[in-house]
Amino acid sequence: MDPTEWNYVLGIDGSQGGIGRTKALGGRKASDDFATAVCRFRLCDYATQLCKVTRFNGLTAEQMSAVIHRDHDAFNFQLMVMDLGGGGLSIRDELRNATQDIGDGQKFSVTPIITADDEQMQGVGNQILCLFSRGDTMIKDTGQVLAGESVLVNKAHELLRGAFEAEPQRIQTPKPWSGWPNGVNSFDTPDKMREWLHAQPGLSPRESAQAEMDLALFQLIHVDRVLSADGQTPKVDKYGMYEFKSTSKKDSGYAVLYSYFASWMIRERHRIKEQTQKETDFVCVSEDA
């Protein structure tokens, strides 16, 4: 892998609900949108860059798969990390199909996207899909010892938080979009920002991408640890891991979380490969030689 070349990765938070479904239910239950986040990085650089966030609502698993394949055609992703919940397994199955249909009647042929554990389609599909689970082979290849799923979730949160807090930051984000009515900080909650953005017609692809990145970052700010009954101490499970929640939706924010985790996975696997190569190349010569 050329350390000077850009590597693109995708984070996927799949859901067939969205703001349209929320309104259909009379606001009784808020639904996540289908969201994806693109990051890029070079092995010779310190930071990962957030490039694009997209969000859709009301798509079928087949349509979501077609969106992912079209993005893959544009970016040539090295790795995709996808949440299992909210329809992730259905999207996984659709990604395996050699023919995709976005829903406009125009079908297109693709190379199936599969996981490293998909033995049935090995040699046929592109093994770049990682399911966000401690049992996934690609995650195991990073050398992490994960006793439970909560350990993996905590690891991803720890990595992203550390990236934002590092000096210099290990994740770079663009400047806020200038089209917000009273600035990016004028909304009380991410859900209100999402509703306002959902109602804006005619945004260019660039404007939409900028606005969606702002929304994703705003959602991340509102993700916090669940507190114990005393209301002050963070709640932990049997592994000593935190549980996370948000009073607002976190679909786009978690797509960024998975995308950054994908970039970390590639960096970590490259580091392990280099270390293994150094150990293999090392030759111990005795004093008697």
Side-chain angles (χ1 to χ4, degrees):
M1 183 178 290
D2 187 343
T4 65
E5 288 186 354
W6 287 109
N7 300 281
Y8 288 85
V9 293
L10 185 71
I12 307 165
D13 192 312
S15 174
Q16 295 177 327
I19 192 169
R21 178 173 172 79
T22 299
K23 292 181 178 179
L25 295 173
R28 296 190 304 274
K29 182 179 179 182
S31 299
D32 281 346
D33 288 333
F34 163 61
T36 64
V38 178
C39 283
R40 71 174 187 173
F41 67 96
R42 296 185 298 186
L43 290 172
C44 63
D45 292 337
Y46 183 71
T48 294
Q49 298 178 352
L50 176 62
C51 302
K52 179 184 178 184
V53 173
T54 54
R55 184 173 49 87
F56 300 89
N57 65 84
L59 297 188
T60 64
E62 181 182 23
Q63 291 171 324
M64 287 186 270
S65 173
V67 168
I68 293 169
H69 270 285
R70 281 190 170 177
D71 277 351
H72 179 51
D73 287 342
F75 291 98
N76 188 27
F77 296 118
Q78 298 298 307
L79 183 62
M80 302 175 179
V81 173
M82 181 170 68
D83 182 22
L84 284 171
L89 291 179
S90 296
I91 299 172
R92 177 203 62 183
D93 294 341
E94 294 292 341
L95 288 170
R96 299 170 82 245
N97 294 330
T99 301
Q100 298 289 314
D101 188 347
I102 199 69
D104 55 7
Q106 297 182 4
K107 297 183 179 181
F108 56 101
S109 299
V110 299
T111 299
I113 294 173
I114 63 174
T115 66
D117 300 310
D118 193 339
E119 297 180 358
Q120 181 181 355
M121 297 191 68
Q122 282 188 5
V124 177
N126 193 353
Q127 292 178 301
I128 59 172
L129 178 64
C130 171
L131 301 180
F132 190 69
S133 170
R134 70 188 181 102
D136 190 278
T137 293
M138 293 186 186
I139 292 180
K140 289 180 179 178
D141 286 346
T142 63
Q144 299 296 305
V145 179
L146 305 169
E149 293 296 334
S150 62
V151 182
L152 175 60
V153 174
N154 277 253
K155 179 68 177 181
H157 277 272
E158 174 190 339
L159 289 169
L160 185 58
R161 180 173 181 173
F164 277 114
E165 294 179 348
E167 291 291 345
Q169 286 188 348
R170 290 196 297 272
I171 182 168
Q172 296 175 348
T173 59
K175 294 181 180 179
W177 179 48
S178 61
W180 297 111
N182 295 299
V184 69
N185 297 319
S186 60
F187 296 93
D188 295 333
T189 68
D191 287 347
K192 290 183 179 179
M193 177 185 279
R194 183 171 72 159
E195 290 177 8
W196 182 90
L197 185 58
H198 183 75
Q200 305 309 306
L203 293 181
S204 69
R206 184 179 183 85
E207 288 177 316
S208 178
Q210 287 181 299
E212 292 293 348
M213 284 188 278
D214 291 340
L215 172 59
L217 297 176
F218 197 33
Q219 286 184 348
L220 284 172
I221 292 173
H222 284 74
V223 175
D224 204 353
R225 293 172 295 184
V226 174
L227 299 180
S228 300
D230 61 12
Q232 296 180 343
T233 307
K235 183 180 179 182
V236 296
D237 63 11
K238 62 180 180 180
Y239 303 113
M241 297 292 108
Y242 299 122
E243 180 182 347
F244 297 90
K245 69 171 185 177
S246 175
T247 55
S248 299
K249 296 296 98 182
K250 53 185 184 298
D251 35 36
S252 298
Y254 266 42
V256 174
L257 179 79
Y258 301 137
S259 187
Y260 183 79
F261 188 74
S263 72
W264 174 83
M265 285 178 62
I266 293 178
R267 289 183 189 274
E268 190 67 7
R269 287 190 297 178
H270 180 73
R271 183 191 66 79
I272 293 173
K273 183 179 180 180
E274 279 197 327
Q275 182 63 37
T276 302
Q277 185 64 45
K278 289 179 181 179
E279 292 174 354
T280 303
D281 292 343
F282 179 76
V283 177
C284 181
V285 180
S286 68
E287 295 181 357
D288 296 333

